[in-house]
Amino acid sequence: MSGGLLLAQGEPIIPDFGEGSDCVVENRFFCPDWVRDNWAGVIQPALLQHVKLVVIAVAIGFVLSFAAALVAHRYRLVEAPFTAFSAVVYTIPSLALFQLLVPVTGLTVTTVEIALVGYTLLILFRNTLEGLRSVPPDVLEAARGMGYTRGQTLWRVELPLAVPAMFAGLRVAVVSTIALATVAALVIPYGLGYPIFLALREAFKTEIVVAGGLAVLMALVADALLVAAQRALTPWASARRLA
Amino acid sequence: MSWLLAADLGVFADALRFVADERTLILEKTWEHLKLSGAAIAIAIVLALPLGAWLGHLHRGSFVAINLANVGRALPSLAVIAIGLAFLGIGFANVALALVVLAVPPILTNAYVAVDEVEPDAVEAARGMGMTRRQILWRVELPMALPLIFAGIRTAVVFVVATATIAAVAGGGGLGDIIVNRAAYGLEGVVGAAICVSVLALAADFLLGLVQRLLTPPGLRADVHALEPDVTTGVTRL
Amino acid sequence: MSGAAAEIVFDRVTKRYPGRAEAAVSDLSLTVPAGEICCLVGPSGAGKTTAMKLVNRLIDFEEGDITIGGESVRSLDLTELRRGIGYVIQQVGLFPHMTVAENISTVPRLRGWEKGRTRLRVDELLDLVDLPAEDYRARFPSQLSGGERQRVGLARALAADPPAMLMDEPFGALDPITRARLQHELLRIQGAVRKTIIFVTHDIDEAILLADRIAILREGGVLAQYDTPARILEHPADDFVERFIGSDRGIKLLSLRRLDELELAPLDGAIDLRASGDTTMRDALSQMITHGSRSLVVVDSEGQPRGVVTLDALAALAE
Ligand SMILES: Nc1ncnc2c1ncn2[C@@H]1O[C@H](COP(=O)(O)OP(=O)(O)OP(=O)(O)O)[C@@H](O)[C@H]1O
Ligand SMILES: [Mg+2]
């Protein structure tokens, strides 16, 4: 019982990749023919599942922490407990959190989503709140002086000025959720983690490299998209950067 | 809500009983877990801290130092371990190496940012008073940077403790051995080990938070939220 | 290099920043006699800070030379040079992780003074800058007001009793009342310690109040005039200097002179306004205008009337 489930320690790996090209049989670093043969059947579905996992988790996490940040902005008392709760969730190892949820929600996508949402809370909450609080007092006073109500000040002044901080939080949340979601495969056969996990059994390099590489690529693309979206949404911020 | 009805909450009681009954096993796995994490962190600190602090002192290499954290965040640990496994084989040393790769970015980036962002006026005053480069680094920059440097180490420690769980699939040992082996230990074993690993991570984070606070010079203490995880360079926790 | 004040001499110093066509300091020659305050003034970007930082070589230069007490700053070891020159900047730059006492003792510790001596020195300096040692020694910079920080900065610069001090707009960020208080405090301290001080400011009034000599720089770090405040006000060298010191130079001139210097008219009748002989003529003028009076009685230290000054007499001087 000293080794893992999949590989007993020290046990020799006997490559057996069935029929296939020489490349696959020899388990080279990267075999294009394997990718071509398995794209539609293995890689593409896993990729789409992965995107779905991440989009849903970040969307729900965003809505929750946004609402919590608005409340905490109005009632300071709310900040400490929400921060403490999300910090504890953030610190629990993901594999453990997935397993801790299994008795409650079973071996389902729901289990994975709950955990992933949990990991986004701390970053999104704190960044949104700090963004809201970062508005200089003179700006707030000017808004008040011009006759904005509290609600108008929030929607027209504080929230727009908090957008850069919120985007900074979103970038971290999206990129880390993409990486985290690979671990879900240790609970259910879902997302890009699953091919990695399967390939891990046989140390099959091509599949590991392709699936792992796609996860990294997805993170980079998502990050770039968020940066572009932020530029478009907050022209004043980039104007200052250029000046 | 049907899944709630189906929820088998008795498992948690069984899990705690498992931990109590199998404490020898749990302790042995916890020890393995700590050894693996400790080795990886020690190596990562030796490699990353001096480099980051020195680059920060020179205000050079910001692009690499800062983006390293972003890249680190985007690297799925599972993939890093899998790649390490595919190319280096299984075992303690190789898994430790994969963990080092994951621990270096937060340590290096925090050390860089911490020293780079030390108040320039204080550094200028130190220069004006005739401190040598070394004296500026040791007496002004490092003490002022210490809390943030330590925050990076803390992030890395919690990260590595968590990731070491996954390392079990690559024969790294530790509590992950139990978590990924439901066939042998049953759901109660898996959940029990998950509880242990969570407690381990939370305790590490809490204790290091206390140390971080102690390390903060009293004059700077007001700005430090010692008991909260560092999310500025916060990498993925796994 | 410590103790008695030292003369500072700029000898045809030119500083060019790499990649910039115009020099930041051009062919600057001036002598600051030992124990005097020299104010560097001029518009923003005129090269005041640059000229000052050449002295402790925070900025290096190639052309010309600067000597302190006869020794070229280039011949001295860099750290020794800097430890021998007090340095005060606008942002103060106190070390936030050190207490007030630790901040002040930075240079003594760098020089390896023993603990007892350092401690005594810290208390002496806190006393000098008017911060009770008992109360302030163990505080951190974050627990001080802006003016208190600046005092600690001054004490830190004075700690190892350097023969020279460099001060870059040290009071620039303070409110007018605190600034005025610290200016007078600096003069009091200077009376006691007699350092050679190069003081950068772009406030001409501050320069007139503090300086023994004023160096006015124009764009490109060209010296427009170097002289005592009174002579600069009386005989501005050119249009630039005249514009820089402002159209009210007559009044400024009055701020340099005290009622004692005047021939007093004999007392005639009852006049309410009184002032002591060391009041500046500017303040006396201001009092008369404020109270709508055309004359003022000068009293001696016992409060006995000595004579009268009239508005007309002051106005004639300000011409
Ligand atoms: N490190 C530098 N590199 C290049 N140019 C510089 C540098 N520092 C200053 N300069 C330029 O040299 C000139 C003089 O600058 P300096 O800081 O000495 O002015 P100053 O008189 O102190 O102005 P201020 O009153 O605004 O402080 C300016 O044109 C400035 O832009
Ligand atoms: Mg300046």
Side-chain angles (χ1 to χ4, degrees):
Chain A
M1 268 315 141
S2 66
L5 162 68
L6 307 156
L7 287 167
Q9 211 158 350
E11 183 183 303
I13 300 170
I14 306 158
D16 175 18
F17 304 116
E19 42 320 351
S21 65
D22 289 353
C23 176
V24 171
V25 173
E26 286 169 23
N27 194 12
R28 291 201 202 126
F29 178 72
F30 182 71
C31 305
D33 55 318
W34 183 89
V35 179
R36 211 178 316 114
D37 293 347
N38 291 277
W39 178 262
V42 179
I43 301 295
Q44 197 199 32
L47 182 63
L48 291 179
Q49 287 166 354
H50 207 85
V51 172
K52 212 168 120 193
L53 269 184
V54 172
V55 169
I56 292 176
V58 174
I60 295 177
F62 182 77
V63 170
L64 290 180
S65 23
F66 185 75
L70 286 186
V71 175
H73 184 51
R74 184 84 166 71
Y75 306 98
R76 246 174 194 279
L77 270 182
V78 177
E79 184 188 356
F82 194 86
T83 305
F85 166 75
S86 50
V88 166
V89 174
Y90 186 77
T91 307
I92 296 177
S94 58
L95 188 48
L97 187 55
F98 290 138
Q99 298 293 7
L100 289 176
L101 287 168
V102 167
V104 186
T105 45
L107 293 168
T108 61
V109 177
T110 311
T111 300
V112 172
E113 291 286 13
I114 291 176
L116 291 180
V117 167
Y119 287 114
T120 64
L121 295 180
L122 182 63
I123 291 163
L124 293 176
F125 173 74
R126 203 190 277 174
N127 275 52
T128 307
L129 190 57
E130 288 196 350
L132 288 173
R133 286 189 183 155
S134 70
V135 181
D138 52 315
V139 174
L140 289 180
E141 196 170 313
R144 258 221 323 268
M146 286 184 293
Y148 276 15
T149 64
R150 204 171 182 139
Q152 285 169 328
T153 308
L154 179 66
W155 285 103
R156 301 195 190 163
V157 181
E158 290 173 302
L159 274 178
L161 289 177
V163 168
M166 281 159 47
F167 262 97
L170 265 180
R171 288 174 62 188
V172 176
V174 166
V175 168
S176 44
T177 304
I178 291 172
L180 269 170
T182 56
V183 181
L186 297 177
V187 181
I188 53 165
Y190 203 77
L192 281 172
Y194 192 57
I196 297 180
F197 187 61
L198 289 181
L200 200 53
R201 290 187 180 178
E202 296 155 328
F204 177 46
K205 291 174 188 167
T206 299
E207 196 170 0
I208 292 176
V209 168
V210 170
L214 276 177
V216 174
L217 195 67
M218 191 174 147
L220 296 179
V221 170
D223 197 46
L225 287 178
L226 283 170
V227 171
Q230 183 191 343
R231 292 251 165 94
L233 275 174
T234 60
W236 67 91
S238 34
R240 196 170 48 221
R241 211 167 25 240
L242 292 177
Chain B
M1 286 288 135
S2 59
W3 48 266
L4 249 189
L5 298 176
D8 181 8
L9 299 177
V11 171
F12 288 105
D14 296 342
L16 292 177
R17 207 168 304 122
F18 176 90
V19 173
D21 293 345
E22 301 283 339
R23 48 186 176 277
T24 336
L25 174 72
I26 294 280
L27 281 179
E28 182 198 325
K29 292 295 175 191
T30 304
W31 177 235
E32 269 178 28
H33 206 100
L34 289 176
K35 264 196 310 195
L36 184 63
S37 312
I41 286 291
I43 297 171
I45 289 177
V46 169
L47 291 177
L49 205 158
L51 183 63
W54 186 245
L55 287 175
H57 174 74
L58 299 176
H59 304 286
R60 292 262 174 77
S62 63
F63 184 79
V64 175
I66 288 171
N67 282 295
L68 200 58
N70 295 332
V71 172
R73 202 160 24 223
L75 283 183
S77 329
L78 185 64
V80 173
I81 288 171
I83 289 170
L85 177 80
F87 292 94
L88 300 167
I90 58 170
F92 182 89
N94 298 331
V95 171
L97 195 67
L99 293 180
V100 169
V101 170
L102 295 167
V104 160
I107 297 178
L108 192 134
T109 301
N110 267 49
Y112 175 85
V113 171
V115 176
D116 180 56
E117 288 188 349
V118 166
E119 210 185 300
D121 301 325
V123 174
E124 155 128 1
R127 233 156 53 92
M129 281 187 289
M131 288 195 189
T132 61
R133 283 191 92 90
R134 289 180 80 106
Q135 284 168 334
I136 291 175
L137 182 62
W138 282 99
R139 297 189 189 195
V140 178
E141 290 176 326
L142 284 179
M144 286 172 72
L146 203 55
L148 200 52
I149 292 179
F150 196 80
I153 295 179
R154 181 178 166 204
T155 303
V157 167
V158 178
F159 183 38
V160 164
V161 166
T163 310
T165 318
I166 299 171
V169 296
L175 286 163
D177 274 355
I178 304 175
I179 297 187
V180 297
N181 200 346
R182 179 179 307 189
Y185 300 108
L187 186 58
E188 67 273 21
V190 170
V191 172
I195 292 174
C196 289
V197 129
S198 307
V199 169
L200 202 61
L202 287 167
D205 192 48
F206 180 75
L207 289 177
L208 293 173
L210 287 182
V211 178
Q212 185 184 349
R213 201 171 160 78
L214 286 180
L215 283 178
T216 307
L220 299 173
R221 224 164 251 179
D223 331 328
V224 178
H225 311 280
L227 301 181
E228 292 171 19
D230 162 51
V231 283
T232 43
T233 56
V235 288
T236 333
R237 302 281 179 79
L238 284 166
Chain C
M1 222 171 61
S2 128
E7 184 184 66
I8 300 176
V9 179
F10 284 72
D11 182 20
R12 314 207 61 172
V13 178
T14 297
K15 169 66 194 177
R16 268 173 241 281
Y17 284 109
R20 293 183 55 114
E22 208 194 1
V25 171
S26 307
D27 198 25
L28 181 65
S29 294
L30 58 86
T31 299
V32 187
E36 288 200 355
I37 298 181
C38 163
C39 282
L40 292 181
V41 300
S44 188
K48 307 180 292 291
T49 300
T50 304
M52 187 204 75
K53 285 185 180 174
L54 297 176
V55 177
N56 64 355
R57 286 175 56 201
L58 279 176
I59 298 174
D60 250 315
F61 62 102
E62 282 77 40
E63 297 170 54
D65 200 4
I66 298 175
T67 58
I68 300 180
E71 285 186 89
S72 164
V73 294
R74 273 201 284 246
S75 69
L76 293 163
D77 173 61
L78 200 58
T79 56
E80 271 312 302
L81 170 76
R82 290 178 183 163
R83 284 172 202 183
I85 300 176
Y87 183 55
V88 187
I89 52 178
Q90 178 175 339
Q91 311 81 351
V92 200
L94 292 183
F95 304 132
H97 60 298
M98 296 184 190
T99 62
V100 165
E102 286 166 341
N103 265 290
I104 295 177
S105 59
T106 307
V107 177
R109 279 184 295 153
L110 284 172
R111 299 191 145 195
W113 288 19
E114 21 150 340
K115 284 220 166 64
R117 180 177 172 210
T118 309
R119 209 188 130 80
L120 282 179
R121 181 68 180 151
V122 167
D123 287 1
E124 185 186 15
L125 285 163
L126 281 172
D127 197 44
L128 187 68
V129 297
D130 211 21
L131 297 173
E134 283 311 318
D135 189 2
Y136 284 87
R137 211 187 279 128
R139 291 213 208 170
F140 287 98
S142 57
Q143 300 167 318
L144 302 176
S145 74
E148 288 167 344
R149 270 178 224 174
Q150 201 49 268
R151 281 165 207 250
V152 173
L154 189 59
R156 181 172 72 173
L158 285 165
D161 201 13
M165 304 256 288
L166 305 177
M167 308 179 79
D168 191 357
E169 305 201 30
F171 309 142
L174 302 173
D175 65 273
I177 294 173
T178 312
R179 185 185 316 154
R181 206 162 62 217
L182 284 187
Q183 285 166 345
H184 286 99
E185 204 127 303
L186 178 65
L187 284 175
R188 177 180 61 75
I189 293 171
Q190 170 69 350
V193 299
R194 279 287 152 213
K195 303 293 176 195
T196 310
I197 298 177
I198 293 183
F199 189 108
V200 171
T201 175
H202 50 230
D203 176 356
I204 184 73
D205 289 309
E206 182 169 64
I208 291 170
L209 175 68
L210 296 176
D212 295 298
R213 279 159 214 266
I214 298 177
I216 301 182
L217 297 181
R218 69 167 102 228
E219 278 81 9
V222 177
L223 185 61
Q225 190 168 6
Y226 181 51
D227 219 325
T228 62
R231 289 185 52 83
I232 284 181
L233 290 170
E234 279 161 9
H235 309 288
D238 55 22
D239 283 354
F240 170 79
V241 175
E242 195 164 348
R243 259 181 293 121
F244 188 77
I245 57 187
S247 53
D248 58 343
R249 65 190 171 94
I251 303 228
K252 283 178 172 138
L253 204 46
L254 289 185
S255 70
L256 286 172
R257 308 178 62 177
R258 298 181 190 275
L259 298 180
D260 280 336
E261 301 166 28
L262 281 174
E263 293 268 338
L264 298 179
L267 289 163
D268 61 338
I271 301 170
D272 297 338
L273 274 185
R274 290 154 175 266
S276 65
D278 63 355
T279 308
T280 66
M281 294 183 188
R282 181 180 181 165
D283 288 346
L285 185 65
S286 157
Q287 279 193 40
M288 284 187 245
I289 293 168
T290 313
H291 293 89
S293 165
R294 300 194 63 85
S295 54
L296 171 150
V297 177
V298 180
V299 296
D300 63 19
S301 50
E302 266 96 55
Q304 295 306 310
R306 282 171 42 199
V308 170
V309 287
T310 62
L311 198 57
D312 294 339
L314 292 180
L317 278 172
E319 292 280 294

